[in-house]
Amino acid sequence: MKKIILGALCFCSLSIFAQPKSTTVRDEKMDKFIDNLMSKMTIEEKIGQLNLPSVGDFTTGQAKNSNIAEKIKKGQVGGLFNIKGVAKIKDVQRIAVEESRLGIPLIFGMDVIHGYETAFPIPLAMAATWNTATIEQAARTAAVEASSDGISWTFSPMVDITRDPRWGRFSEGSGEDPFLGGAIAKAMVKGYQGDNTYSRNDQIMACVKHFALYGAAEAGRDYNTTDMSRIRMYNEYLYPYKAAVEAGVGSVMASFNEIDGVPATANKWLLTDLLRKQWGFDGFVVSDYTGISEMIAHGIGDLQQVSARALDAGLDMDMVSEGFNGTLAKSLKEGKITEEQINTACRRILEAKYKLGLFKDPYKFGNEKIAKEKIFSPEHRAFARKVAAESFVLLKNDNNTLPLAKKGTIAVVGPLADARENMNGTWSVAADINKPSTLVEGLKQVAGKNINVIFAKGSNLAKDKSFEDRATLFGKTLHRDNRSEEELLNEAINAAAKADIIVAALGESAEMSGECSSRTDLNIPDVQHQLLEAMLKTGKPVVLVLFTGRPVTITWEDKHVPAILNVWFGGTEAAPAIADVLFGNVNPSGKLPATFPKNVGQIPLFYNHKNTGRPLAEGHWFEKFRSNYLDVDNDPLYPFGYGLSYTTFQYGDIQLSSSSMNNNSEITASVKVTNTGKYDGSEVVQLYIRDMVGSVTRPVKELKGFEKIFLKAGESKDVTFKITPELLKFYNADLEYVNEPGDFQLMIGSNSRDVKTIGFELK
Ligand code: NOJ
């Protein structure tokens, strides 16, 4: 398995936020081609390239018939999204190529977020694999499917760091940590774009989003304001976007939120000074959906004003607002923008199309034969099943409740047990919600003859029907049962009476996370909780199979339920994968990419926090005049990096090659890890570092390396991390990227809490 010491290997190139990248080598042939093309384009046609409408419907062929077709003919459209299927895409491309004056091909985008028709686990779950090779391969698989279906551009990866599980879009990113998020961002860009040459017809352009800080929305309410100091931004939030840029991502999507009082969509500091001048990004920037027109509500002008501001800030493509298309020509006439600015944006869009090879062959993407062969193929599904199983996190397993015995009767209860339409999870637009197996079906399929699986729903998603309606949009129904709560519960109690063990499939529906799915209460909803209590009262062993798109507050469950397996939303093959893990055919190895708080009041709660001047002594709950709460301790329910296995791993003491280093040397830190249990299994060995004294305050620990290893029962392995001067750098008060001599603590362990510690010095 792949070792990640991203900082150690790549910090040289990632290190300088404040320096422009050395001059990009221009492709002279491309420049000439585009110069020539642009010399023939009218202003209206140039502005047209900046326009990205949504077709808005996957199935009706609207683009061909609506006024979008007319716009395409007039050269008023640069690309389209939300259109699916080779035939449709080719039809529309034909309009652009054959019926518009200059025949400029369109770029076709889509939210290919976690797989195409073969849906992989939601991104947060993918992050829980801590396996960048797997994540890259999943992105590759998605690119193969999407490109064969005509898609050349995906609005992924989403790399927004977030520390607030109230925010529904927690599900779409890689969690709370910049280092892990950066490694995943790189892996995904590589998976989609390959070697960045787009020489093959299965390499599609990635779009890193949402630039920037979207995950820091105040109060976890979607689309809300963010406000953050530069030092926090640079040290904690920007790293994954930068990692994607370093990996050569072709495009960037501006976020909805404001930064320093200016929406990202029109934020010149963000889109030009930081992204282009400091980071050297040379692709194009697209707004988010109606990101331009939303600036009217943000209160910074009318459509003409905000469109001009966006262009001036460095935004190149307008998703859906029709602000560029509708107003830039007027602004040009009135001297509010320059032709040069339009040319710059237009050139960037044309360059993307050129790089993708669309001028050579506008139909390069989309091949019925390959689509038929690859999309939702048995190979892709088998891989998705493996990935799903790798993403599950075993949170608790008292008395080895899991794995389940392969005999007897299992009562499966809960509203998520028979929830086919929910298995793919949020943001799986290309996937068919009717294709996945339900958990009950998956269990039956994997169980074998000696097991009897019986099912009773036991409760709806929530008592309140209107809540359930809001949480099951886009056809992702849970088939609400109109029987009384009592009837439902009694049915489950009767089923439990016949069983040896109870599997309770509870938690969130797919659409309880994702866009515009913020929550203030992160408990398992009321009636589901009652069901769980009733199941526990039977005295039978209970396994909680937790479906969730975010960290939830399961403090009560942790206290009372003997075994908890967090399965997130595992995609198309989630059901057999859950069965694989429950029956022990696969040993769970997922680790949390985000802290699980004890209650909502602790939020934001994250492992790499600052110490404060009045830290609470370790192991204490409350001390007067210390930084703590009266009613709950400071510790999380489950720390970042946490996850159990059916086996156990023992960590030896850390061996350092030297107790000191300087800026011209490096040291290695090794630890022996032994599988001391009865099962073969994988472990994610995690390296954390703390800078003990700095010119500015430093976090209590920061992830700086990880390696996922496989150990047979009884086997040991030495895991070695390289500590380089680069790895010890951070942004100081002047935003210079430096390390500072002094004492450091190095920690290695199986999660951010349970670590071995040793000191070393940077001289
Ligand atoms: C809005 C979302 O914020 C973004 O993530 C997505 O890519 C666009 N809509 C396009 O669907």
Side-chain angles (χ1 to χ4, degrees):
M1 283 174 214
K2 220 170 166 182
K3 178 187 288 191
I4 294 299
I5 317 180
L6 195 139
L9 295 175
C10 314
F11 245 71
C12 301
S13 49
L14 274 176
S15 62
I16 312 294
F17 277 76
Q19 291 289 314
K21 217 168 84 175
S22 58
T23 45
T24 326
V25 186
R26 298 292 316 173
D27 176 342
E28 280 176 27
K29 233 171 115 191
M30 174 176 81
D31 287 348
K32 239 177 153 176
F33 176 87
I34 292 174
D35 286 345
N36 180 40
L37 179 59
M38 284 182 66
S39 69
K40 296 181 202 148
M41 291 172 82
T42 63
I43 282 291
E44 285 69 26
E45 283 165 335
K46 287 176 184 170
I47 293 170
Q49 286 303 307
L50 319 185
N51 191 24
L52 179 71
S54 161
V55 177
D57 194 313
F58 285 130
T59 51
T60 60
Q62 206 180 334
K64 219 182 140 188
N65 306 323
S66 72
N67 74 336
I68 290 180
E70 284 314 306
K71 284 188 173 159
I72 295 171
K73 284 183 202 164
K74 287 187 198 149
Q76 291 175 351
V77 177
L80 277 183
F81 71 110
N82 278 350
I83 175 166
K84 182 168 186 270
V86 185
K88 275 186 217 160
I89 288 181
K90 286 197 166 166
D91 262 10
V92 179
Q93 188 70 299
R94 203 163 292 127
I95 299 175
V97 173
E98 291 176 15
E99 296 184 44
S100 72
R101 195 176 74 88
L102 293 168
I104 301 174
L106 301 170
I107 184 170
F108 289 94
M110 190 186 272
D111 286 284
V112 183
I113 305 295
H114 51 107
Y116 189 67
E117 285 197 27
T118 306
F120 290 99
I122 56 169
L124 186 63
M126 293 295 290
T129 66
W130 292 58
N131 188 338
T132 51
T134 293
I135 292 168
E136 182 184 324
Q137 187 57 31
R140 180 92 295 273
T141 307
V144 166
E145 291 197 8
S147 60
S148 73
D149 224 13
I151 300 298
S152 44
W153 181 31
T154 174
F155 304 138
S156 171
M158 187 282 215
V159 305
D160 303 320
I161 296 291
T162 186
R163 295 162 167 179
D164 194 334
R166 290 174 297 182
W167 193 52
R169 302 195 82 172
F170 212 118
S171 54
E172 287 180 55
S174 298
E176 75 187 32
D177 185 63
F179 186 88
L180 179 62
I184 292 172
K186 283 191 166 222
M188 290 186 76
V189 171
K190 191 152 178 244
Y192 292 130
Q193 298 190 168
D195 58 3
N196 295 338
T197 61
Y198 308 105
S199 53
R200 294 164 39 159
N201 63 359
D202 63 4
Q203 294 170 330
I204 62 175
M205 189 168 279
C207 180
V208 66
K209 67 188 189 185
H210 306 82
F211 193 58
L213 316 181
Y214 185 31
E218 282 174 359
R221 210 182 69 216
D222 209 358
Y223 318 123
N224 206 1
T225 305
T226 62
D227 194 4
M228 190 182 292
S229 68
R230 283 282 150 93
I231 197 162
R232 169 162 272 182
M233 225 186 261
Y234 273 63
N235 277 314
E236 301 168 36
Y237 278 77
L238 293 179
Y239 187 89
Y241 307 107
K242 177 70 160 60
V245 170
E246 287 289 334
V249 73
S251 62
V252 170
M253 187 185 293
S255 55
F256 288 126
N257 55 281
E258 67 175 63
I259 294 175
D260 296 331
V262 180
T265 314
N267 194 310
K268 198 168 190 170
W269 171 78
L270 185 76
L271 301 185
T272 296
D273 297 348
L274 181 69
L275 182 64
R276 294 193 184 278
K277 293 191 184 155
Q278 294 181 27
W279 293 1
F281 175 68
D282 66 355
F284 72 97
V285 182
V286 62
S287 78
D288 201 345
Y289 200 104
T290 58
I292 291 183
S293 52
E294 287 174 25
M295 290 192 287
I296 303 169
H298 272 288
I300 64 162
D302 61 20
L303 189 62
Q304 185 183 352
Q305 282 170 321
V306 296
S307 301
R309 269 189 82 162
L311 184 78
D312 181 53
L315 192 102
D316 305 304
M317 199 174 215
D318 168 2
M319 187 191 287
V320 177
S321 294
E322 296 277 340
F324 278 1
N325 208 31
T327 70
L328 287 189
K330 184 164 183 267
S331 291
L332 180 66
K333 267 192 209 123
E334 293 169 1
K336 293 183 173 132
I337 55 168
T338 65
E339 191 169 345
E340 181 61 31
Q341 288 175 314
I342 294 172
N343 284 344
T344 303
C346 175
R347 180 176 289 277
R348 289 179 187 143
I349 307 299
L350 295 175
E351 280 178 4
K353 294 180 178 182
Y354 183 94
K355 288 177 189 161
L356 279 166
L358 289 170
F359 285 109
K360 261 198 195 138
D361 178 6
Y363 309 102
K364 173 179 164 188
F365 299 94
N367 178 317
E368 279 92 347
K369 198 170 150 273
I370 302 179
K372 215 165 160 210
E373 193 187 307
K374 299 282 184 189
I375 293 180
F376 208 61
S377 68
E379 295 77 32
H380 288 182
R381 292 181 60 191
F383 178 53
R385 178 167 170 176
K386 192 179 145 281
V387 179
E390 197 179 345
S391 75
F392 304 154
V393 185
L394 184 62
L395 297 173
K396 190 178 173 194
N397 195 20
D398 277 3
N399 310 319
N400 296 325
T401 309
L402 288 174
L404 300 172
K406 289 184 178 167
K407 59 179 194 309
T409 298
I410 304 173
V412 189
V413 303
L416 277 313
D418 185 28
R420 187 179 321 287
E421 297 88 340
N422 276 260
M423 299 306 272
N424 287 338
T426 188
W427 260 138
S428 47
V429 290
D432 184 342
I433 55 173
N434 296 306
K435 279 190 176 160
S437 301
T438 66
L439 175 59
V440 173
E441 288 166 352
L443 285 168
K444 285 185 178 163
Q445 188 189 318
V446 176
K449 283 194 200 110
N450 297 332
I451 302 177
N452 182 25
V453 177
I454 53 176
F455 163 68
K457 188 167 184 178
S459 82
N460 283 310
L461 180 72
K463 193 183 177 77
D464 177 1
K465 181 181 176 303
S466 66
F467 176 85
E468 183 161 332
D469 289 344
R470 288 193 294 277
T472 50
L473 297 176
F474 312 122
K476 294 185 181 167
T477 174
L478 286 173
H479 304 282
R480 190 171 174 89
D481 198 314
N482 288 326
R483 284 177 291 168
S484 71
E485 277 167 33
E486 218 182 4
E487 268 177 279
L488 281 167
L489 204 55
N490 282 336
E491 193 184 38
I493 292 168
N494 289 338
K498 295 183 204 132
D500 302 299
I501 191 156
I502 300 162
V503 169
L506 309 176
E508 295 194 310
S509 59
E511 292 305 322
M512 274 171 77
S513 63
E515 189 170 344
C516 194
S517 291
S518 297
R519 296 177 66 194
T520 61
D521 173 355
L522 298 179
N523 289 334
I524 291 181
D526 42 27
V527 282
Q528 293 192 61
H529 178 79
Q530 283 159 26
L531 170 63
L532 186 60
E533 267 187 311
M535 293 299 99
L536 288 165
K537 267 200 200 128
T538 65
K540 306 256 166 105
V542 177
V543 176
L544 169 58
V545 172
L546 176 69
F547 286 81
T548 182
R550 49 152 65 86
V552 278
T553 48
I554 49 166
T555 308
W556 186 91
E557 290 76 4
D558 180 69
K559 197 158 168 213
H560 296 96
V561 184
I564 306 176
L565 181 70
N566 177 16
V567 298
W568 315 104
F569 288 93
T572 328
E573 305 307 314
I578 297 170
D580 288 341
V581 171
L582 290 180
F583 289 120
N585 301 340
V586 175
N587 189 352
S589 64
K591 299 273 189 173
L592 295 177
T595 304
F596 272 45
K598 285 187 173 141
N599 66 22
V600 169
Q602 287 182 314
I603 295 170
L605 186 67
F606 46 96
Y607 84 94
N608 47 352
H609 59 85
K610 301 290 183 70
N611 203 36
T612 80
R614 294 188 177 197
L616 191 63
E618 218 167 283
H620 285 228
W621 172 352
F622 176 80
E623 276 180 273
K624 194 68 184 166
F625 305 121
R626 294 264 149 200
S627 180
N628 49 212
Y629 301 99
L630 283 172
D631 53 357
V632 67
D633 62 45
N634 287 354
D635 296 332
L637 181 62
Y638 307 117
F640 173 81
Y642 172 85
L644 303 172
S645 163
Y646 293 154
T647 193
T648 44
F649 297 100
Q650 201 181 58
Y651 282 68
D653 288 332
I654 303 171
Q655 310 291 330
L656 285 186
S657 59
S658 166
S659 59
S660 69
M661 59 185 278
N662 60 36
N663 262 314
N664 299 313
S665 67
E666 50 192 42
I667 56 177
T668 57
S670 305
V671 74
K672 188 185 280 307
V673 184
T674 306
N675 180 344
T676 48
K678 294 198 188 90
Y679 293 84
D680 301 347
S682 294
E683 166 72 336
V684 180
V685 183
Q686 301 161 36
L687 166 76
Y688 297 89
I689 291 182
R690 177 174 184 180
D691 189 348
M692 300 306 290
V693 180
S695 57
V696 293
T697 60
R698 307 287 298 120
V700 296
K701 59 182 67 136
E702 292 174 290
L703 184 74
K704 291 291 178 181
F706 57 93
E707 183 178 349
K708 191 162 188 178
I709 55 169
F710 174 79
L711 291 176
K712 288 194 167 301
E715 197 189 350
S716 295
K717 247 181 211 165
D718 287 323
V719 177
T720 302
F721 295 101
K722 208 195 280 180
I723 316 301
T724 65
E726 288 296 318
L727 209 56
L728 309 179
K729 288 186 175 173
F730 63 95
Y731 291 91
N732 67 15
D734 296 323
L735 299 182
E736 295 157 341
Y737 196 59
V738 296
N739 57 31
E740 294 174 344
D743 289 336
F744 288 79
Q745 262 180 8
L746 185 148
M747 294 154 264
I748 299 180
S750 73
N751 62 63
S752 61
R753 179 190 61 203
D754 303 318
V755 290
K756 300 257 178 174
T757 305
I758 196 167
F760 73 94
E761 191 189 355
L762 176 70
K763 293 202 173 185

